[in-house]
């Protein structure tokens, strides 16, 4: 049999045997199996501390922060930030107000691209465009929407979640529905969360 091709002539004895369907030469060890490259290890997600002077964790939110109080956003501050932080995302949602197929809930506020140097948000953030490239939305517009659980039902839990990311996010605040914007932010955050802080406030409208 004549085998053509320049590559044939550069083969080792073992390769000739394997190419021809023969066995490995006696006494020659099998080549070591190739190992897949290992992904670089990442530091575990850090637990941050998120607090507000307006209410304690698990406590009732004052009426001034509710829809009856003209939707004044609470003051927030945080600590324990990872060194790798490049931006923050704040998501405030009503855990007791499921929407759609029950896999989502009511979005009361989302602020993204908070600068990595920030350690707080002031009370009463203004509606619309924010400074330093920050963006905000809620289920009803570009602003904080206060709690409004009815007096006839159970107390609702309003969850404030602050995420430390190792990237800024390139997600526009306009052009999509609030639900689609929230989904886009959550998708862009995937694999980039390096820290998280949680604060929970409760609210129910007073009886008339």
């Amino acid at each position: 049999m004549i085998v053509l091709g320049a590559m044939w002539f550069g083969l080792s004895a073992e390769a000739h045997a394997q190419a021809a369907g023969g066995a490995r030469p006696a006494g020659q060890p099998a080549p070591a199996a190739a190992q897949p490259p290992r992904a670089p290890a990442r530091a575990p997600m850090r637990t941050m501390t998120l607090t507000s002077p307006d209410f304690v964790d698990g406590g009732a939110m004052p009426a001034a922060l509710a829809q009856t109080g003209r939707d004044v956003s609470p003051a927030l501050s945080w600590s324990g930030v990872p060194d790798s932080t490049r931006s923050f995302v704040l998501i405030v949602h009503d855990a007791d107000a499921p929407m759609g197929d029950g896999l989502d809930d009511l979005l009361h506020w989302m602020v993204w691209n908070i600068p990595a140097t920030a350690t707080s948000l002031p009370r009463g953030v203004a509606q619309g465009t924010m400074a330093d490239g920050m963006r905000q939305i809620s289920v009803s517009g570009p602003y904080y929407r206060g709690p409004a659980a009815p007096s006839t039902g159970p107390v609702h839990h309003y969850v404030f979640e602050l995420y430390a990311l190792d990237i800024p996010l390139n997600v526009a605040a306009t052009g999509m529905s609030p639900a689609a914007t929230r989904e886009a932010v959550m998708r862009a955050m995937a694999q980039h969360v390096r820290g998280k802080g949680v604060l929970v406030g409760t609210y129910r409208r007073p009886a008339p």
Side-chain angles (χ1 to χ4, degrees):
M1 178 180 68
I2 299 175
V3 181
L4 300 179
M7 293 300 296
W8 178 264
F9 299 103
L11 297 178
S12 65
E14 177 186 6
H16 274 291
Q18 291 178 345
R24 183 180 293 106
Q28 186 167 338
Q35 297 296 321
R38 291 185 177 181
R42 284 182 172 175
M45 184 172 68
R46 179 176 297 182
T47 299
M48 301 186 300
T49 300
L50 178 62
T51 60
S52 173
D54 295 310
F55 61 95
V56 299
D57 186 30
M61 299 174 66
L65 306 181
Q67 289 184 31
T68 54
R70 298 190 177 181
D71 296 316
V72 175
S73 64
L76 298 168
S77 60
W78 52 87
S79 60
V81 176
D83 293 338
S84 57
T85 301
R86 297 295 175 268
S87 71
F88 296 99
V89 173
L90 175 69
I91 299 177
V92 183
H93 56 104
D94 183 349
D96 300 303
M99 298 182 66
D101 55 7
L103 299 178
D104 205 351
D105 56 18
L106 190 65
L107 178 66
H108 279 260
W109 202 23
M110 183 168 71
V111 185
W112 65 104
N113 283 345
I114 301 171
T117 54
T119 58
S120 64
L121 285 175
R123 194 172 194 261
V125 172
Q127 297 187 15
T129 303
M130 302 176 69
D132 299 323
M134 293 186 286
R135 298 162 181 170
Q136 64 175 334
I137 64 163
S138 69
V139 70
S140 53
Y143 47 79
Y144 165 83
R145 176 172 174 167
S151 61
T152 55
V155 168
H156 282 212
H157 296 78
Y158 297 86
V159 184
F160 291 69
E161 297 175 321
L162 182 75
Y163 297 90
L165 311 182
D166 61 11
I167 59 169
L169 299 182
N170 185 23
V171 178
T174 59
M176 296 186 289
S177 68
T181 302
R182 180 183 183 180
E183 182 180 354
V185 167
M186 296 296 290
R187 190 184 309 115
M189 286 169 51
Q191 307 301 318
H192 294 286
V193 177
R194 297 294 169 260
K196 181 180 179 181
V198 179
L199 174 66
V200 179
T202 62
Y203 185 79
R204 179 174 57 190
R205 286 177 184 262

